[in-house]
Amino acid sequence: MLLETANLNAGYGFLHILRDVSLKVDEGEFVCLIGPNGAGKSTTLRTIAGLIRPYDGRVSFRGQPINGLAGHRITQLGVSYISEAMNLFTNMTVHENLMMGAYTIRDKAFLRNQLDFVYSLFPRLEERRNQLSGTMSGGERKMLAIARGLMSNPKMVLVDEPSFGLSPLMTKAVFEALDLLNRERGLTILVVEQNVTLTLAATNRGYVIENGRIVLEGPSPALAADEYVRRVFLGI
Amino acid sequence: MIHWFKGFFAWLRTAAGVSVSAAVLLAAFAAIDRGPYVLVNTVVMGGMLGLVAMGLAIILGVLNIPSFVHGEFFMIGGLAAYYVITPIKDYLFENPSPFLAVVGPVLAIGAATLAGALAGALAELLVFRELRRRNRDNWVMNCFLLTVGLNVILINGHQLLFGADFKGIVSYWEGRPIELFDVAVSMDRLLAFLISVSIVVGFWLFMKYTRTGRAIRAVAQDETGATMVGIPLGWIMTLTMALGCGLAAVAGGSLLFMYPSYPTVGMEATYMAWFVVILVGLGRVLGALVGGFMVALLKIVTLEYVGSGWDFVVPSALIILVLIFKPSGIFGSEVRGVLDQ
Ligand SMILES: Nc1ncnc2c1ncn2[C@@H]1O[C@H](COP(=O)(O)OP(=O)(O)O)[C@@H](O)[C@H]1O
Ligand SMILES: [Mg+2]
């Protein structure tokens, strides 16, 4: 198992959000975590990424416990978190942001490779390479956030709401890029989304979270056909 | 060409343009009216004030600490330089050596920088890191109070351990002053200026082109984003505090011939650096250098035309005006963290 959380409890101060969240992601899988607004999806990803310390429970990566490690150590181990807010360096150019994304990489030739790779994935970024990231459109910023997250050549990415604020066309492009990364590069992906139809069509497996608890899990096609999911999320 | 001129005239109408041109005009007028020595003094003092203010600005921008203990690192720098240069001077008195006469001041100023940087790193590790680990609510206010407390501790610590007397030197270099535009510039002043120029250039190159320098800028812009790309926040914060305090200390060491070290010598440096930082906008690191020259000019012109005793009042009055009419400073503020609180 590449990533595993066991009975994870986490939150913000006295605000207990996640209750006994257990999920598993195998190497090469494309897994989604879906649920209504405020269910705790982002909190789950933040806890795995080491930005929040869990109250108890365990997170392990490649069999090693990583809960309690500082966020930068988890990135160094090969788990890249791409947040909903993107957290770009707004006073730096596109190129500088990508260079920061490769902070953990010291091999110059390898760094060049990564740069060529993300530019080929998102050619638009190369056109904008000298623009300050704070002045770009929402879609371009989202691409940059994903590209920056890939610069460190992660084993796994945690992507929070890639479609948020994007046009349907842009959303489709972003999901196609994720799909490509998963199939051709063997990148393991855990994605959080509110766009349930699209996500279930793109992923292999999914978890449904409500009020901080995992309430359902299964292969994505099965979830898409599930009575409960159809009623709650798809309004059918 | 025309495009360039248009851009320049547009800039002249901004707050930054108006203030910088006013400063240039004022400097030119004073230089013609009173003599070029006004310029020499401004440049020497401005360079050093620029260093101190850059240190304050980077600490504010990266750690979000509004430091009222900043000048005490200037004091520590002077103190360290004094205790290194005095025995060297004593030794030189008995055994003249041209080599040591040149290396001695460099050693003293180097020791000053190191002492300030170390003291800064210690303050970060012992005080601010602990606070960060425990409680990030009301961060700016708590840090402000902590720095005021540290300020009292360091001033009284100096008095207790080293006494309240003036620990200073007449000059670092024995050499004759150099003639520049009919002004006799002492070697010490020249050295101070050269130090500020080389440190500013080195600092800029470091921030722009090195991995660590870029990481510092990244932390200033987005802490969470910096963690996400694998930057160790703790190390960057300690390093930044060391750098910022080192900048104040190198000024304290370099200016020992003007400002002997005594317990409260840092107060003026703290206030002057705050004047600069408020004038240019919080967190503007390179702006702080420009502002350093502007505040130094104001101080020196006040000394010339209004009289001593007023050199604190006029800059303060200016800062009150800035806070009323342009609270984000003439270059605009870059620090979101402080303004958000
Ligand atoms: N920084 C925070 N401080 C306090 N509460 C928060 C914070 N971030 C999120 N929350 C709360 O935690 C709950 C879960 O949030 P989140 O994980 O962002 O939900 P989701 O991503 O599923 O929409 C919400 O009730 C939200 O208000
Ligand atoms: Mg969310």
Side-chain angles (χ1 to χ4, degrees):
Chain A
M1 204 54 60
L2 191 65
L3 179 89
E4 191 171 354
T5 74
N7 299 319
L8 206 55
N9 282 272
Y12 306 91
F14 293 116
L15 201 60
H16 192 154
I17 307 287
L18 299 185
R19 294 172 192 273
D20 293 323
V21 169
S22 300
L23 43 84
K24 290 181 183 166
V25 182
D26 222 337
E27 194 149 0
E29 271 193 308
F30 190 173
V31 176
C32 68
L33 178 63
I34 56 177
N37 222 333
K41 304 182 296 294
S42 299
T43 306
T44 307
L45 294 196
R46 281 189 208 122
T47 311
I48 298 172
L51 299 176
I52 309 174
R53 227 163 254 261
Y55 304 144
D56 65 43
R58 197 165 42 81
V59 184
S60 53
F61 182 64
R62 292 174 151 163
Q64 301 294 318
I66 58 168
N67 47 288
L69 286 189
H72 72 273
R73 293 277 304 123
I74 290 172
T75 306
Q76 288 167 1
L77 287 176
V79 181
S80 192
Y81 170 49
I82 297 159
S83 65
E84 206 174 348
M86 296 182 268
N87 297 95
L88 294 175
F89 305 121
T90 48
N91 280 332
M92 291 190 190
T93 63
V94 168
H95 183 75
E96 286 176 308
N97 266 280
L98 294 176
M99 295 301 281
M100 289 319 304
Y103 181 80
T104 54
I105 292 179
R106 287 179 179 269
D107 179 347
K108 285 257 161 60
F110 190 71
L111 197 155
R112 267 246 58 95
N113 261 340
Q114 285 301 102
L115 204 59
D116 290 344
F117 166 66
V118 300
Y119 277 147
S120 71
L121 196 63
F122 300 112
R124 181 139 187 108
L125 292 181
E126 185 156 26
E127 291 164 26
R128 298 290 167 102
R129 70 195 298 276
N130 291 320
Q131 188 173 340
L132 290 184
S133 70
T135 65
M136 294 202 303
S137 76
E140 290 163 346
R141 287 213 303 273
K142 189 62 91 174
M143 286 181 193
L144 179 57
I146 294 173
R148 189 185 68 177
L150 295 172
M151 281 300 290
S152 59
N153 191 32
K155 199 73 202 104
M156 171 171 195
V157 287
L158 313 168
V159 195
D160 201 342
E161 306 235 8
S163 79
F164 184 78
L166 297 194
S167 67
L169 207 67
M170 208 65 165
T171 305
K172 201 161 156 280
V174 165
F175 265 92
E176 274 168 8
L178 290 177
D179 195 49
L180 189 85
L181 286 163
N182 174 247
R183 277 185 296 111
E184 307 216 328
R185 280 220 151 192
L187 181 70
T188 308
I189 304 175
L190 175 60
V191 65
V192 155
E193 259 293 341
Q194 298 215 35
N195 186 337
V196 171
T197 320
L198 186 64
T199 314
L200 287 178
T203 52
N204 315 131
R205 227 157 43 76
Y207 291 88
V208 180
I209 186 170
E210 262 186 306
N211 293 318
R213 290 176 201 278
I214 302 282
V215 292
L216 210 60
E217 62 174 285
S220 297
L223 286 181
D226 187 89
E227 196 56 35
Y228 176 81
V229 173
R230 288 167 70 86
R231 190 159 38 80
V232 174
F233 296 105
L234 305 176
I236 305 171
Chain B
M1 197 63 187
I2 290 172
H3 180 76
W4 190 87
F5 270 114
K6 267 192 183 151
F8 181 70
F9 282 114
W11 177 78
L12 276 184
R13 281 200 299 277
T14 63
V18 169
S19 333
V20 171
S21 7
V24 170
L25 288 179
L26 181 63
F29 171 78
I32 293 166
D33 188 44
R34 294 289 165 114
Y37 70 93
V38 175
L39 283 189
V40 173
N41 285 352
T42 302
V43 164
V44 171
M45 170 87 95
M48 283 293 150
L49 181 53
L51 291 186
V52 181
M54 275 166 70
L56 183 64
I58 194 173
I59 290 171
L60 199 56
V62 176
L63 293 102
N64 266 309
I65 298 175
S67 177
F68 275 80
V69 67
H70 197 57
E72 275 54 59
F73 294 96
F74 179 95
M75 174 268 277
I76 288 174
L79 198 64
Y82 174 80
Y83 282 110
V84 172
I85 197 69
T86 321
I88 292 180
K89 289 235 167 216
D90 287 346
Y91 176 83
L92 276 173
F93 190 72
E94 310 266 305
N95 326 278
S97 139
F99 174 71
L100 195 58
V102 172
V103 172
V106 177
L107 278 180
I109 294 167
T113 317
L114 216 61
L118 262 167
L122 267 178
E124 209 284 316
L125 288 173
L126 297 180
V127 180
F128 300 106
R129 174 164 301 196
E130 288 302 309
L131 178 63
R132 199 177 310 115
R133 218 159 49 83
R134 277 155 225 260
N135 178 12
R136 297 213 62 164
D137 302 337
N138 276 322
W139 170 260
V140 172
M141 190 57 180
N142 288 340
C143 281
F144 162 68
L145 295 174
L146 275 175
T147 62
V148 173
L150 272 178
N151 168 63
V152 174
I153 291 174
L154 288 179
I155 288 176
N156 287 290
H158 179 137
Q159 176 146 3
L160 196 70
L161 296 174
F162 304 101
D165 51 331
F166 283 27
K167 294 166 277 291
I169 55 174
V170 181
S171 69
Y172 275 120
W173 307 85
E174 305 300 338
R176 225 174 323 128
I178 293 177
E179 289 279 322
L180 269 179
F181 315 106
D182 289 338
V183 191
V185 184
S186 73
M187 282 298 284
D188 284 32
R189 277 161 188 266
L190 196 64
L191 181 78
F193 178 65
L194 291 180
I195 286 174
S196 56
V197 170
S198 41
I199 287 182
V200 165
V201 171
F203 187 76
W204 186 78
L205 291 175
F206 170 73
M207 293 296 276
K208 184 96 183 148
Y209 294 108
T210 69
R211 188 174 114 99
T212 308
R214 278 199 293 250
I216 292 177
R217 287 198 294 143
V219 173
Q221 287 176 37
D222 196 313
E223 263 179 49
T224 307
T227 305
M228 280 159 46
V229 299
I231 296 171
L233 283 189
W235 153 243
I236 293 294
M237 303 234 162
T238 309
L239 178 71
T240 304
M241 189 75 175
L243 272 175
C245 295
L247 285 171
V250 72
S254 308
L255 293 180
L256 185 63
F257 63 95
M258 274 167 86
Y259 294 91
S261 197
Y262 57 93
T264 53
V265 66
M267 302 286 254
E268 186 183 337
T270 301
Y271 288 118
M272 284 294 163
W274 270 102
F275 289 164
V276 171
V277 165
I278 292 169
L279 176 70
V280 299
L282 307 181
R284 287 267 164 197
V285 176
L286 282 179
L289 180 68
V290 180
F293 286 107
M294 290 165 73
V295 171
L297 174 72
L298 199 63
K299 191 175 146 88
I300 283 162
V301 168
T302 310
L303 279 174
E304 273 299 316
Y305 290 96
V306 189
S308 59
W310 289 87
D311 60 327
F312 226 76
V313 179
V314 174
S316 313
L318 174 80
I319 290 316
I320 291 169
L321 291 180
V322 169
L323 284 174
I324 293 172
F325 293 106
K326 194 100 177 53
S328 61
I330 57 175
F331 294 118
S333 178
E334 262 179 358
V335 177
R336 272 154 311 204
V338 173
L339 296 178
D340 286 346
Q341 307 282 326

